[in-house]
Amino acid sequence: MRTKQGGWKWILGRGMVVSRDQQGNPLRLTGTHKDISQQKNTEHALKKALQESEEARNNINAILTSLTDGMIVSNRDHHITMINRAAQKLLDVDEHQAIGQLVETIVDGQVFSDELGSILSQEKTTTTIDVEMMDQSRQEMRVIQARFSAIYDNESIPSGAITLLQDVTRSREMARLKSEFISTAAHELRTPLTAMLGFSDLLLESPDISAEERREYLQIISSKSESLAAIVDDLLDLSRIESGRLITLDQKQIPLQQTLVGLIEQYSRQLSGPSIHHPPQRHRQYVVHR
């Protein structure tokens, strides 16, 4: 019903026939009219709130589904209340199997349970651990990084926890290979440096050596310098790979026999002659065999 002010009101009308004529037609009616505008406005607001709540829930579900990291939400008793698709795939478990179960039954490991307990007891605010798990489909061990954070209620008391899971197997393997490469590179750096320092000292401390021997030693120093430059190039290539840049590989055929003969001659010279030692006061010793 439109009001005099131009607005609208909801009116609920109820009526009944109190008398009829001989043919049964209504002669007199009685009834009531009630303004239910506030009730209708409340119903409209409630419907809108429910719609917004449904949209928010759908948005949350869409976000959880699109997360590349696995996520588990558990209550204070460690029971799972929510698990996203990434976590289901990572742990090889179905959502219906996981909901209501203890986290420890899905993610095996006492360390995992202890860290979750430390978050809920407020010993820690956040914590991160690595857990090894068997990938049943691939039949291989995987390294899963778990990051724990507490969920707080209105009184700032932990009511549950969020656990983010990420497969870091490849990154851990890359870190191991990087460490091995650096260790190998350090050893490879030491080898040519030792030869260069030894032959340099030999040239400085032996003025009576022949021109032929002097030239031979200088050639060895030059060759070792090239080896050092190649190792430095390898380290720079590693840095480029880590930063995501591409490197160009110069692929070509080389005479294997010539390379092997050169290496044999080089190490034969180092193993057949006298040793050159640095003085002890320099706190290091380099030995080069001619």
Side-chain angles (χ1 to χ4, degrees):
M1 178 180 294
R2 193 178 183 89
T3 64
K4 293 181 179 180
Q5 292 76 19
W8 293 89
K9 285 190 175 183
W10 287 88
I11 304 297
L12 176 64
R14 291 192 179 96
M16 61 180 298
V17 178
V18 294
S19 64
R20 299 176 183 273
D21 58 17
Q22 293 179 353
Q23 287 76 29
N25 298 318
L27 292 178
R28 192 169 54 172
L29 300 172
T30 183
T32 60
H33 293 84
K34 181 180 180 182
D35 185 354
I36 59 171
S37 299
Q38 184 175 358
Q39 180 182 344
K40 283 292 184 180
N41 291 336
T42 302
E43 290 178 358
H44 177 72
L46 179 59
K47 185 183 293 185
K48 183 178 180 181
L50 290 174
Q51 183 179 359
E52 292 177 349
S53 176
E54 183 69 19
E55 291 176 354
R57 188 175 67 179
N58 291 337
N59 289 336
I60 292 175
N61 289 334
I63 293 172
L64 294 180
T65 302
S66 61
L67 278 176
T68 56
D69 289 349
M71 189 185 78
I72 299 176
V73 180
S74 55
N75 60 20
R76 187 168 181 81
D77 297 324
H78 296 199
H79 289 93
I80 298 174
T81 59
M82 183 183 297
I83 181 171
N84 73 341
R85 191 173 301 171
Q88 296 173 42
K89 183 178 179 180
L90 195 62
L91 301 175
D92 192 24
V93 65
D94 184 76
E95 179 180 10
H96 300 293
Q97 297 174 339
I99 298 298
Q101 296 292 324
L102 288 171
V103 179
E104 292 86 340
T105 63
I106 305 299
V107 184
D108 189 20
Q110 186 61 40
V111 176
F112 193 98
S113 177
D114 293 342
E115 292 298 325
L116 185 59
S118 68
I119 289 293
L120 294 173
S121 63
Q122 294 184 292
E123 294 179 14
K124 302 177 181 178
T125 54
T126 59
T127 183
T128 303
I129 62 170
D130 284 352
V131 181
E132 288 190 349
M133 299 181 186
M134 174 61 72
D135 188 335
Q136 298 298 335
S137 60
R138 300 180 182 179
Q139 288 299 309
E140 62 182 12
M141 294 300 296
R142 311 293 291 173
V143 180
I144 307 299
Q145 183 185 76
R147 298 191 299 274
F148 304 89
S149 298
I151 302 173
Y152 296 94
D153 58 19
N154 295 331
E155 298 179 356
S156 299
I157 298 176
S159 59
I162 295 177
T163 305
L164 295 179
L165 304 173
Q166 184 180 19
D167 188 343
V168 294
T169 305
R170 180 173 174 79
S171 62
R172 294 294 184 269
E173 179 66 14
M174 292 297 293
R176 184 185 66 80
L177 292 175
K178 177 183 176 182
S179 177
E180 290 181 358
F181 175 81
I182 292 176
S183 177
T184 302
H187 176 74
E188 293 297 326
L189 283 170
R190 186 181 299 112
T191 302
L193 277 174
T194 300
M196 291 170 63
L197 290 170
F199 283 108
S200 297
D201 285 347
L202 187 60
L203 289 171
L204 292 173
E205 298 173 4
S206 305
D208 56 341
I209 60 177
S210 65
E212 182 180 352
E213 287 181 319
R214 184 180 301 274
R215 179 175 178 80
E216 179 185 357
Y217 298 159
L218 289 174
Q219 286 178 342
I220 293 175
I221 293 174
S222 176
S223 174
K224 295 301 181 181
S225 299
E226 293 177 357
S227 299
L228 279 178
I231 296 173
V232 171
D233 287 340
D234 288 341
L235 292 173
L236 292 175
D237 286 341
L238 177 63
S239 177
R240 295 187 186 100
I241 292 172
E242 288 185 331
S243 64
R245 289 180 292 173
L246 297 177
I247 61 174
T248 302
L249 297 179
D250 183 16
Q251 299 183 4
K252 59 183 180 182
Q253 293 184 346
I254 61 171
L256 182 59
Q257 181 178 0
Q258 181 179 347
T259 303
L260 292 176
V261 169
L263 290 173
I264 292 172
E265 290 179 351
Q266 171 187 331
Y267 287 103
S268 295
R269 286 194 300 266
Q270 295 183 16
L271 294 173
S272 62
S275 299
I276 304 300
H277 299 273
H278 277 285
Q281 61 268 25
R282 298 180 63 179
H283 303 287
R284 57 188 178 180
Q285 184 181 66
Y286 299 95
V287 181
V288 179
H289 298 283
R290 271 188 76 220

